[in-house]
């Protein structure tokens, strides 16, 4: 089997003592504080930019003209930042005995500043003044950036926020500082800044239409008591994050903490040199603390896709889509290895995700047991509703903020966490069986948000069957169909199979699998599909999965796969040498 390097996360349930729990909460609180600190900086800068834009719009300028005027207003300050930042980077590289940056082209109006800084570097070369000059350059860059943020000319990145925080961290707490920062690992703050940057980018991409899915709202500040999480890093050449024996995990600043399950699998990979730990993310879920250890693992995979460049160099990819995307600029794609015998025997499977069954398969998971073609819903939330309702009623009777209320809230969180863990375990098992048992796994591109939209309506136009729709939504969300698709996406790449996602709106439920005629009036709630054209009457799930398989085959051949001829819209071979039947085109 070919071998490649993949990022894998190993999740362990921690078993901390009382003091260790307090330390974990303190670390998570520092990460939350850093997130809110960075978000506040970004929000103030964005608000200043919005105020400038509103002033120009009220003056009669268009949206594009207002944005161009703001860029022109901040051009001089931006150029000064570039000059001072180049000066700082040059001194940093010189102090590290690395080749300096090439001389920068002087921005308009900054020639005198460029010459003055170059002369200062030349005078301080090889002397102790270089360190003082570097400190001055760093302070000047941070001061100019802070001025640009306040004026609304730019938004601070995670690196900018980290630099500003280092200037303010020793100030009193009343002045926005964090004098307690030495009590926790500094990476708690770094991870908070990174998460704020990711949240800000998600909002901007969603606003600009670059991010698919539900529209993201403006990033919100995190409250104490909600999701507690933080990430710690280390130098992989001098690792601090490691497994001490098979039952204890060592983390920087926290020491050795016992884990519930065994870490033998990861520990042995590290001992053999097949895994290198990169970071650890600690999260509280309900009454448990979990540690997700991210590692680079040398893993055997049945199928590997290589992009062969024009010069003969090869780059490996786990998925064919990634390799073909890289080949758009030149080169070609080659397949290394092949699926396992079990996958080749299974072939392509169509998976119909729905409400009656969690998954209806065109081929059973176990060839010896035809009943495995239908995967029942685990109904984890439905089975725990009575216990959950009782816990929520007990919580509602307590005064918010009291000790009893905290205990009752913890009880509700514990039930939700148990449901989440059981659902994840079930979906992990199902996704692995699908990824290891078939060469291709075909699913529909379901819009879960649209399917679970509330039917309540408005006061003027109330909805119909609101209770029935609410039960359906709860049942569908309990299945975790979106989580199943995410697990299939990376597990199919790990185990050498391919995930085929049909185009959204593919009429698999309203099309007859035999004659391929559509029946728009077909009732989805009816268990039998009746075709008015050919008179076929088959089980609806059998008809849907057959259509999914047929649509997946068309999708695979349409994208010029390495098997078979490409088909046109009439499902005829589109090869130039193929002989066309009369009346089938010119």
């Amino acid at each position: 089997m070919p071998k490649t390097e993949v990022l894998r996360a190993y999740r362990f349930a921690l078993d901390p003592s009382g003091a260790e729990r307090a330390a974990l909460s303190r670390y998570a609180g520092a990460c939350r504080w850093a997130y809110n600190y960075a978000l506040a900086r970004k929000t103030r800068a964005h608000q200043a930019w919005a105020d400038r834009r509103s002033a120009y719009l009220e003056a009669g300028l268009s949206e594009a003209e207002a944005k161009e005027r703001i860029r022109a207003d901040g051009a001089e300050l931006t150029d000064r930042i570039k000059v001072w930042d180049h000066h700082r980077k040059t001194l940093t590289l010189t102090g590290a005995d690395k080749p300096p940056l090439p001389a920068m082209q002087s921005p308009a109006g900054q020639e005198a500043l460029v010459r003055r800084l170059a002369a200062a570097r030349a005078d301080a070369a090889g002397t102790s003044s270089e360190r003082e000059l570097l400190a001055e350059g760093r302070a000047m860059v941070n001061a100019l950036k802070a001025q640009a943020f306040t004026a609304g000319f730019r938004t601070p990145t995670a690196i900018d926020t980290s630099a500003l925080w280092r200037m303010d961290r020793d100030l009193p707490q009343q002045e926005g500082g964090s004098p307690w920062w030495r009590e926790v690992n500094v990476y708690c703050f770094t991870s908070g800044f990174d998460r704020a940057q990711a949240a800000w980018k998600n909002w901007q991409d969603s606003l600009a239409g670059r991010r698919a899915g539900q529209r993201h709202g403006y990033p919100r500040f995190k409250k104490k008591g909600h999701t507690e999480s933080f990430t710690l890093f280390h130098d992989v050449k001098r690792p601090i994050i490691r497994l001490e024996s098979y039952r204890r995990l060592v983390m920087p600043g926290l020491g050795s903490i016992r884990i519930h399950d065994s870490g033998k699998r990861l520990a042995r990979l590290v001992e053999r040199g097949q895994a290198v730990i990169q970071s650890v993310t600690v999260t509280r879920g309900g009454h448990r603390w979990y540690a997700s250890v991210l590692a680079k693992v040398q893993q055997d995979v049945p199928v590997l896709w290589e992009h062969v460049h024009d010069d003969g160099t090869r780059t490996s990819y786990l998925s064919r889509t990634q390799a073909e995307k890289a080949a758009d600029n030149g080169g070609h794609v080659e397949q290394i290895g092949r699926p396992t015998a079990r996958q080749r025997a299974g072939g392509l499977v169509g998976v119909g995700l729905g409400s009656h069954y969690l998954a209806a398969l065109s081929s059973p998971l176990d060839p010896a047991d035809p009943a495995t073609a239908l995967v029942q819903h685990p109904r984890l939330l439905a089975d725990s509703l009575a216990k959950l309702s009782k816990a929520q009623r007990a919580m509602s009777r307590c005064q918010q903020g009291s000790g009893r209320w905290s205990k009752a809230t913890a009880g509700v969180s514990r039930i939700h966490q148990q449901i989440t863990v059981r659902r994840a375990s079930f979906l992990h098992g199902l996704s692995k069986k699908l990824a290891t048992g078939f060469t291709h796994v075909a699913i529909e591109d379901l819009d879960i948000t649209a399917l679970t939209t509330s039917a309540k309506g408005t006061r003027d136009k109330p909805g119909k069957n609101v209770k029935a729709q609410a039960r359906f939504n709860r049942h569908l969300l309990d299945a975790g169909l979106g989580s199943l698709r995410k697990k299939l996406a990376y597990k199919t790449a790990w185990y050498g199979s391919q995930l085929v996602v049909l185009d959204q709106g593919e009429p698999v439920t309203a099309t007859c699998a035999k004659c391929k005629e559509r029946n728009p009036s077909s009732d989805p709630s009816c268990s039998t599909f009746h075709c008015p054209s050919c008179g076929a009457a088959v089980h609806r799930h059998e008809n849907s999965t057959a259509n999914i398989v047929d649509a997946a085959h068309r999708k695979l051949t349409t994208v010029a796969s390495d098997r078979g001829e490409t088909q046109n819209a009439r499902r005829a071979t589109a090869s130039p040498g193929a002989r066309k039947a009369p009346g089938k085109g010119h």
Side-chain angles (χ1 to χ4, degrees):
M1 281 189 181
K3 181 175 290 188
T4 187
E5 190 176 70
V6 299
L7 282 173
R8 298 196 65 165
Y10 296 83
R11 193 165 186 254
F12 305 106
L14 300 178
D15 185 19
S17 63
E20 291 169 342
R21 283 180 177 273
L24 292 172
S25 296
R26 188 164 59 251
Y27 274 50
C31 182
R32 182 186 67 252
W33 184 93
Y35 176 91
N36 292 336
Y37 175 87
L39 188 56
R41 291 273 186 174
K42 292 177 181 293
T43 303
R44 286 198 295 267
H46 179 260
Q47 187 60 48
W49 175 86
D51 293 340
R52 283 180 173 271
R53 183 191 60 174
S54 300
Y56 284 127
L57 292 177
E58 292 176 358
L61 274 67
S62 64
E63 182 80 15
E65 292 173 341
K67 292 181 179 179
E68 186 63 31
R69 183 69 67 84
I70 294 174
R71 281 192 290 269
D73 293 343
E76 193 272 337
L77 182 57
T78 302
D79 290 341
R80 290 183 61 194
I81 293 174
K82 290 180 180 178
V83 172
W84 276 99
D85 201 32
H86 182 272
H87 172 67
R88 177 192 63 83
K89 290 178 180 178
T90 303
L91 289 171
T92 302
L93 293 175
T94 303
D97 294 331
K98 295 182 179 180
L101 295 174
M104 70 175 300
Q105 185 177 1
S106 301
Q110 303 297 327
E111 294 83 0
L113 178 60
V114 172
R115 289 194 299 267
R116 180 170 67 84
L117 295 180
R121 290 196 300 271
D123 294 340
T127 65
S128 59
S129 301
E130 277 188 338
R131 181 173 296 181
E132 299 176 1
L133 200 62
L134 177 58
E136 178 192 2
R138 286 173 176 169
M140 194 65 185
V141 169
N142 291 335
L144 290 174
K145 284 185 176 180
Q147 184 179 348
F149 301 149
T150 304
F153 294 138
R154 58 189 295 176
T155 304
T157 63
I159 297 177
D160 297 334
T161 307
S162 181
L164 295 175
W165 171 72
R166 284 184 171 86
M167 296 174 59
D168 300 339
R169 62 188 180 185
D170 291 323
L171 295 176
Q173 191 168 353
Q174 295 78 8
E175 300 179 14
S178 51
W180 42 267
W181 67 272
R182 291 183 178 85
E183 299 178 10
V184 299
N185 190 280
V186 72
Y187 282 121
C188 293
F189 300 94
T190 305
S191 60
F193 300 149
D194 292 340
R195 293 177 184 188
Q197 179 68 22
W200 193 264
K201 185 178 183 301
N202 290 341
W203 168 67
Q204 287 186 322
D205 290 346
S206 180
L207 191 65
R210 295 187 297 267
R211 183 181 176 88
Q214 190 176 6
R215 180 64 61 88
H216 277 238
Y218 202 84
R220 293 180 294 183
F221 294 97
K222 293 186 177 182
K223 297 181 180 179
K224 184 178 180 180
H226 286 228
T227 303
E228 297 185 32
S229 177
F230 60 92
T231 302
L232 301 177
F233 305 89
H234 70 162
D235 185 357
V236 295
K237 297 181 180 178
R238 292 174 294 185
I240 301 176
I241 304 171
R242 65 185 187 277
L243 283 165
E244 188 179 64
S245 72
Y246 296 151
R247 298 303 296 269
R248 303 193 74 85
L249 178 65
V250 179
M251 292 178 283
L254 295 169
S256 176
I257 299 180
R258 180 178 171 82
I259 59 178
H260 277 286
D261 32 6
S262 174
K264 180 186 294 186
R265 185 180 179 187
L266 176 59
R268 288 188 172 180
L269 288 174
V270 174
E271 290 172 1
R272 292 195 294 262
Q274 297 177 354
V276 177
I277 296 177
Q278 303 293 308
S279 63
V280 58
T281 299
V282 182
T283 307
R284 183 182 65 82
H287 63 297
R288 295 266 188 215
W289 284 92
Y290 297 92
S292 180
V293 182
L294 184 67
K296 281 185 179 180
V297 182
Q298 295 292 334
Q299 179 173 314
D300 293 329
V301 294
V303 177
L304 198 62
W305 302 92
E306 288 190 349
H307 171 217
V308 184
H309 301 263
D310 294 332
D311 58 358
T313 58
R314 294 174 175 266
T315 306
S316 300
Y317 294 92
L318 280 175
S319 70
R320 179 174 183 168
T321 304
Q322 294 174 340
E324 290 178 342
K325 186 176 180 180
D328 290 342
N329 299 324
H332 63 279
V333 176
E334 290 185 4
Q335 177 180 338
I336 308 299
R338 63 172 185 168
T340 63
R342 179 183 175 188
Q343 290 173 330
R344 296 196 302 271
L348 188 150
V349 61
V351 183
L353 305 176
S355 58
H356 190 67
Y357 296 103
L358 174 64
L361 313 181
S362 60
S363 302
L365 288 172
D366 184 3
D369 186 7
T372 56
L374 296 176
V375 181
Q376 300 289 341
H377 275 283
R379 299 180 60 86
L380 298 170
L381 178 61
D383 294 343
S384 302
L385 273 181
K387 183 168 59 174
L388 184 61
S389 300
K390 183 178 179 180
Q392 288 176 331
R393 284 196 300 270
M395 183 183 68
S396 66
R397 296 190 185 102
C398 301
Q399 183 178 356
Q400 188 171 359
S402 64
R404 291 184 60 196
W405 179 84
S406 300
K407 291 182 180 180
T409 304
V412 174
S413 299
R414 181 169 185 163
I415 297 173
H416 278 295
Q417 177 63 15
Q418 290 172 347
I419 295 172
T420 301
V421 171
R422 292 169 184 169
R423 182 188 296 115
S425 177
F426 180 85
L427 295 179
H428 272 299
L430 176 60
S431 58
K432 185 173 182 179
K433 289 179 181 178
L434 289 171
T436 57
F438 304 94
T439 57
H440 297 79
V441 181
I443 61 174
E444 298 177 78
D445 186 10
L446 298 177
D447 189 352
I448 304 298
T449 303
L451 289 175
T452 56
T453 302
S454 174
K456 187 176 182 179
T458 62
R459 180 176 297 180
D460 299 331
K461 295 182 179 180
K464 298 179 180 180
N465 300 325
V466 177
K467 290 186 178 180
Q469 180 67 27
R471 286 195 298 269
F472 172 79
N473 293 348
R474 183 173 60 198
H475 180 64
L476 201 60
L477 292 173
D478 184 22
L481 302 183
S483 179
L484 177 60
R485 175 174 170 175
K486 291 179 180 179
K487 290 175 174 57
L488 284 173
Y490 67 83
K491 289 189 179 182
T492 49
W494 281 356
Y495 298 115
S497 53
Q498 295 184 50
L499 177 65
V500 182
V501 182
L502 305 185
D503 297 332
Q504 198 167 39
E506 185 75 28
V508 297
T509 58
T511 303
C512 178
K514 292 185 177 180
C515 67
K516 306 303 178 185
E517 293 294 330
R518 293 190 62 182
N519 182 15
S521 61
S522 175
D523 185 8
S525 62
C526 183
S527 60
T528 305
F529 177 84
H530 296 275
C531 179
S533 299
C534 64
V538 295
H539 199 282
R540 180 168 296 277
H541 297 296
E542 295 179 5
N543 183 78
S544 298
T545 53
N547 285 328
I548 292 175
V549 171
D550 185 60
H553 280 300
R554 293 200 308 270
K555 189 176 181 68
L556 289 173
T557 54
T558 302
V559 296
S561 68
D562 53 357
R563 270 188 264 174
E565 295 289 347
T566 302
Q567 296 180 349
N568 59 19
R570 295 173 181 263
R571 298 174 189 164
T573 55
S575 174
R579 186 175 180 179
K580 298 181 176 63
K584 297 296 183 181
H586 302 288

